[in-house]
Each structure stands twice: as structure tokens, then as C-alpha cells.
Amino acid sequence: MTQTLDTRVSMLVERFEDAHHQLSQHAKEQPYAVLAVAAGLGFILGGGLSSRLIGSWLSVGGRTLVSRLALDWLASTVERRAPESIH
């Protein structure tokens, strides 16, 4: 049982390290996008959403931003993993 727990903890630590590396790399590549997300999250968590209009606006903006970031991440991942003969 201890070995299973150690294995799970080790896997969890490895996943956090991978996530940290990916976020750090993304922050270096697109610092303004990361700042925008951080500012938006701070605004939302700080109770800045007082009206439905602002909430709707941020929801649409957030979805747009997340979709762009996801597409950029996907494109860079595919580009890195594509064989050299395709380029």
C-alpha cells in the first residue's frame, strides 16, 4: 500500500512539474495573454462581477481567449511533433 501511495504521489508531482513547465513556456511565448488571463481571474475572484452584462461580456471574451490559446497551443504542439519531411 505504501508503494502504491508513493507511486501516486510521484506521478502527481511529475504532472505538476510538467504543467509548470508548459505554463512557463507559454508565459515566455505569449506574456500578454498570460497577463490578461491572470488579470481576468483576479477580477472575477475579487468579486468584480456585479452585473449580468459584465459577466456576459467577460464570458464571451474568456471563451474567445481560451479558444485562441488552445488553438495556438495545438498548432505549436503539432508543429513540434510533425516530421521534418512535411515542412
Side-chain angles (χ1 to χ4, degrees):
M1 180 133 186
T2 304
Q3 184 179 10
T4 304
L5 182 60
D6 289 341
T7 303
R8 288 185 181 188
V9 168
S10 174
M11 287 174 40
L12 186 62
V13 167
E14 186 177 318
R15 286 184 183 175
F16 275 115
E17 288 173 350
D18 288 344
H20 179 264
H21 175 71
Q22 288 179 357
L23 288 173
S24 296
Q25 190 66 25
H26 192 69
K28 289 176 186 175
E29 293 171 1
Q30 296 183 348
Y32 295 116
V34 173
L35 284 174
V37 169
L41 286 175
F43 181 74
I44 291 168
L45 294 175
L49 293 178
S50 59
S51 72
R52 291 184 134 184
L53 178 63
I54 293 173
S56 298
W57 182 74
L58 284 177
S59 176
V60 169
R63 281 192 299 251
T64 302
L65 178 63
V66 167
S67 67
R68 281 191 155 185
L69 291 175
L71 286 173
D72 287 347
W73 174 80
L74 183 60
S76 67
T77 301
V78 168
E79 186 176 292
R80 278 185 273 149
R81 294 182 185 217
E84 294 297 323
S85 60
I86 294 177
H87 294 272

